[in-house]
């Protein structure tokens, strides 16, 4: 006969960066299956922290486009449109 088993996971949300990626992924899955009520603050904060760490690691290995948008782009874009309108006349 099977007996009811309760599994408790103990983790420090402030030390997620020290965990292996495999352990982190397992924690994320366990946190998603947490039987806490929908909207539970602690459960939500843990899942967010786990997800943030997973995304941080993923982005660390992905080269990002740099300088795609610059502060002066809007100004240059408007000048180019104005120049285009003036030269069309």
């Amino acid at each position: 006969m099977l007996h009811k088993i309760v599994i408790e996971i103990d983790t420090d949300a402030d030390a997620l960066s020290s965990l292996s990626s495999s352990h982190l992924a397992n924690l994320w899955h366990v946190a998603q299956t947490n039987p806490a009520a929908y909207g539970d603050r602690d459960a939500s904060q843990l899942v967010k922290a786990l997800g943030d760490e997973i995304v941080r690691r993923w982005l660390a290995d992905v080269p990002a486009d740099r300088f795609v948008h610059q502060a002066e782009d809007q100004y240059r874009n408007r000048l180019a449109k104005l120049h285009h309108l003036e030269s069309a006349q």
Side-chain angles (χ1 to χ4, degrees):
M1 174 176 211
L2 295 175
H3 301 284
K4 181 177 179 178
I5 298 172
V6 176
I7 300 172
E8 184 176 312
I9 305 298
D10 184 26
T11 190
D12 181 359
D14 294 326
L16 297 178
S17 62
S18 67
L19 301 177
S20 71
S21 293
S22 176
H23 188 79
L24 185 67
N26 284 324
L27 282 175
W28 186 84
H29 285 287
V30 169
Q32 291 296 331
T33 60
N34 183 346
Y38 178 77
D40 180 85
R41 184 174 186 240
D42 291 337
S44 299
Q45 287 180 343
L46 177 58
V47 169
K48 181 179 182 332
L50 291 165
D52 288 350
E53 178 61 20
I54 290 168
V55 170
R56 185 194 68 75
R57 290 182 188 195
W58 176 70
L59 287 176
D61 293 334
V62 176
D65 292 334
R66 300 177 83 182
F67 309 112
V68 175
H69 296 284
Q70 296 294 308
E72 62 274 359
D73 287 348
Q74 178 186 9
Y75 175 71
R76 285 187 185 143
N77 188 34
R78 287 180 181 237
L79 281 178
K81 286 180 181 179
L82 182 61
H83 178 68
H84 179 69
L85 289 174
E86 288 177 352
S87 45
Q89 294 176 355

